[in-house]
Amino acid sequence: MNNKNFEIQIEKGTPPVNFRWHARGHMGFENVGTMIVSLMAAKKIHSETETSGDASSSPLFGAEKEGKPKETDNTISYDPIESFCKPKIFDVKIIADTTIEGVTANTNEETIFVVNAKDPEEVARQIGLGPSRVIAVDATAIAIAEMKKIGSKATFPNTAVMGAFIHIFPFISPEELYAVIKQKYRGRGEEVVDANITCAKRGYEEAKFFDGRGTDVSKAKIGAPKLLRWDEMLPGAAVYATGNMDENHTGSWRTSRPIRVDEMNAEKILAGLKKTRCTNCMICVACCPEDCILVENEKVVGINLDYCKGCGICNDVCPFGAIGIKPEEKAKKDDKE
Amino acid sequence: MTKKKMWQVFEADGNTMGAAAAAHADIDVVSAFPITPCTQVPERIGDHIKRKELDAECLRMDGEDSAGAACTGSSLAGARTLDATSSQGLLFKAQNLYCWAGSRCPVVLLVATRAINAPVNIHDDFSDVMSQRDAGQLMFFAKNQQEVYDFALLGFKIAEDLRIQLPFWVCYRGFKVSHTTTINKILSPDGLKVFRPWLGVYERPQSLLDFEHPVVAGEVVLSEHYLEAKFGQHYGMRQAPAVIKEAAKYFSRRFWNVYSDTEEFMVDDAEYVAVVLGDDFGTLKVAVRQLRAQGVKAGAIRIVSYRPFPVKKLQKLLVGKKAVAVLDQALSSGAPSAPLCSDVRAALYNSVAKIPVRGIVYGLGGRNLEPEEVVQIYESLKHPKKWLGETEPCWIGVRGGSDKI
């Protein structure tokens, strides 16, 4: 496979290479940034006259919640890194979950995307990555398969994505990556180490490439938020626009979705085959931290999925089993059907 | 027709004067926690409320931190709010001080300044207020009980001005001003009839209690807008000198004279000038008179408005002087100068004239500044070569101290 077009070299005097990992809080990507730093640390040359190879990793902080999109930024460079400011344009973007929004921000046509998906061309169209270079690897499938072998239900796609990712840097060999993985997971037993190394190996081998440069794959338009001048802000940064959460659908953080069992069984209930479970006791309404249970005429009529973060409290508190939980990806698929 | 008398005589100490100002400014909320030496402020305000001279809410909080937070809330709701504190209390309140400025809460805070532990000391120095001087508030230093009253009254007018909307501190020395009773002037009922309409009612445009226009305050503002929010706050401080001047001018014309930036004593023809904060200006005046009698051209300046700092005025006053001493009753260990001296030096550095400035640290923990010591300081200014090499302030009055005045 010829992937010369996907390589980035770092040399003396060239600007540092910046990349950003887009993942969610539960995907095992908390460690990738520091693993990249460890990779480079092993390669770093210190001598009397020269230091070469430097790396940094900085996670971006905001609200904390499983399923909340999280970013980690990495920089690697031949020369020592002296500035920790965020770059305007990233050379590489790694997308661990294609449902995360805003992944094309701060990129240009030279940006390489590494995506957790089956087909690079299809995913480029689907989430608007073109015209760019895309590397795709079905990392979640690899992780599920390999972890199943050791009897684990873990689905962390991180190591498989890293395996595909190192194609970009010809000076990093897969063996070096395996060594870092071994170092990172050594506390979790040999089985886990080996499974993760296999994931990385498969990620490296099964990566697929799509050079979208020059094609007409349209680029997703990201509306830049309107930034206010200081005199347009209210004193003390007060905000009149209560209800501006309209613009910020935190429902996109969800990894599992509450399902109303009665809604699912609607036909059977009508036919008299099943009984209604919900008694409109309103316990879920009182307990939902996001006020997402919709009520009309003293009856529960639905769930506001724009803001439901999928915490599952409604499921826990319902005494009648009227609310079930479904993985979000499965629910989305069912929606389409 | 005889002219109505705007004022009446009132014998009171600093804290009582502060409380009288609160009553005369018709505050809505006082939230305070007792701490020596400012305890009498909320006590006296409580007396005013009990006598039905003042219709205000007296919040008895469980600590300085919550007292400060209560002020944030009441001020955001649009209530005219006063607080009083000292020393450890000010430090325990610290996070709220920044919150007041950042949320644009025009709280008037009376600080009876006091040394900070350890060792434990309840007497005066400016360590407490200087430690929080960058929280974003206006700071006025009163030289006597009268000024505590004047500045607190003016404070509400200035702080609540929509161009500013920042907290306003009145700093006066613990015990020396707060607990010393003197003969003062307060507004008479006729005076209040003039003063109250001028002061007006605090009408916060973004009141939390305005249910017609709901507003969110104190929300998260990350790097996209924080710089702009802080500039907005800072712009309020930039507007302050003009607003202070307006208010002081009206008050001086209508009632009695108030200082609004600096006070000078024999500075015009002086060669050697000392700069100080608060009531030690009086001690300086005693020394200046002695020196003038001996033919030494000495002068003294008191910084009234420490924030905003009267940079231009100070440059104008000090141009052409042979040497300047700045007396600090606070400390910044390891720094080239103590807080006030830093500001004076910085204000002078980019002016045309290069003037030698000597930093002096005195009176920490309430030790008296003796006129003889001040005379020594002035004498030392005659020979700048002896002290120009100093890399930190000279301590005076230390028994066994090696610093040479």
Side-chain angles (χ1 to χ4, degrees), chain B residues 184-230:
Chain B
N184 303 292
K185 280 188 280 195
I186 58 170
L187 290 170
S188 63
D190 282 330
L192 278 176
K193 274 179 202 154
V194 178
F195 175 78
R196 285 259 176 90
W198 174 66
L199 179 61
V201 179
Y202 175 41
E203 283 182 30
R204 190 179 176 88
Q206 300 86 26
S207 163
L208 288 185
L209 291 182
D210 182 355
F211 298 122
E212 299 289 309
H213 307 95
V215 66
V216 182
E219 77 283 12
V220 177
V221 177
L222 297 183
S223 40
E224 291 90 359
H225 284 110
Y226 188 84
L227 192 63
E228 280 70 25
K230 279 289 150 186

Side-chain angles (χ1 to χ4, degrees), chain B residues 166-395:
Chain B
L166 288 173
F168 188 101
W169 292 12
V170 183
C171 312
Y172 51 99
R173 296 211 293 179
F175 295 108
K176 287 189 175 121
V177 176
S178 75
H179 281 63
T180 308
T181 300
T182 50
I183 304 163
N184 303 292
K185 280 188 280 195
I186 58 170
L187 290 170
S188 63
D190 282 330
L192 278 176
K193 274 179 202 154
V194 178
F195 175 78
R196 285 259 176 90
W198 174 66
L199 179 61
V201 179
Y202 175 41
E203 283 182 30
R204 190 179 176 88
Q206 300 86 26
S207 163
L208 288 185
L209 291 182
D210 182 355
F211 298 122
E212 299 289 309
H213 307 95
V215 66
V216 182
E219 77 283 12
V220 177
V221 177
L222 297 183
S223 40
E224 291 90 359
H225 284 110
Y226 188 84
L227 192 63
E228 280 70 25
K230 279 289 150 186
F231 183 77
Q233 175 198 323
H234 180 71
Y235 194 76
M237 185 62 86
R238 282 197 189 169
Q239 305 273 72
V243 178
I244 292 167
K245 210 171 164 185
E246 268 173 36
K249 199 174 160 189
Y250 178 89
F251 195 93
S252 300
R253 204 183 63 223
R254 211 72 188 80
F255 307 110
W256 55 81
N257 195 38
V258 286
Y259 293 99
S260 62
D261 45 12
T262 60
E263 184 186 351
E264 309 90 39
F265 182 66
M266 295 189 152
V267 170
D268 288 346
D269 65 334
E271 289 172 343
Y272 308 104
V273 178
V275 183
V276 77
L277 287 168
D279 56 287
D280 269 327
F281 184 62
T283 318
L284 258 58
K285 279 162 93 172
V286 174
V288 167
R289 285 198 196 94
Q290 277 183 30
L291 287 158
R292 286 275 174 173
Q294 296 161 20
V296 179
K297 287 190 171 176
I301 295 176
R302 175 172 73 100
I303 305 286
V304 175
S305 151
Y306 181 64
R307 290 286 183 271
F309 198 74
V311 177
K312 283 258 180 284
K313 178 91 183 279
L314 207 62
Q315 286 176 349
K316 219 165 101 189
L317 287 172
L318 291 179
V319 72
K321 307 301 177 208
K322 284 187 176 163
V324 175
V326 183
L327 280 67
D328 263 285
Q329 204 180 6
L331 182 61
S332 176
S333 264
S337 53
L340 179 62
C341 184
S342 292
D343 289 324
V344 172
R345 277 191 184 148
L348 293 179
Y349 190 77
N350 281 358
S351 69
V352 187
K354 286 280 175 280
I355 307 157
V357 177
R358 188 175 198 198
I360 308 282
V361 167
Y362 77 97
L364 300 181
R367 180 74 57 83
N368 269 346
L369 178 67
E370 304 297 339
E372 303 85 69
E373 289 173 333
V374 182
V375 169
Q376 283 177 14
I377 293 168
Y378 277 110
E379 293 291 341
S380 81
L381 291 184
K382 288 181 184 168
H383 313 287
K385 274 184 189 160
K386 283 188 182 167
W387 49 264
L388 267 174
E390 283 176 355
T391 55
E392 61 157 78
C394 168
W395 286 55

Side-chain angles (χ1 to χ4, degrees), chain B residues 132-183:
Chain B
Q132 303 303 325
R133 69 188 192 277
D134 298 329
Q137 66 287 13
L138 285 77
M139 288 167 82
F140 273 51
F141 282 75
K143 70 171 173 182
N144 53 26
Q145 294 73 8
Q146 182 67 52
E147 284 197 345
V148 176
Y149 178 81
D150 299 351
F151 291 161
L153 283 184
L154 278 177
F156 286 110
K157 180 73 186 169
I158 295 163
E160 290 169 4
D161 192 296
L162 294 186
R163 286 167 287 179
I164 298 186
Q165 291 206 80
L166 288 173
F168 188 101
W169 292 12
V170 183
C171 312
Y172 51 99
R173 296 211 293 179
F175 295 108
K176 287 189 175 121
V177 176
S178 75
H179 281 63
T180 308
T181 300
T182 50
I183 304 163

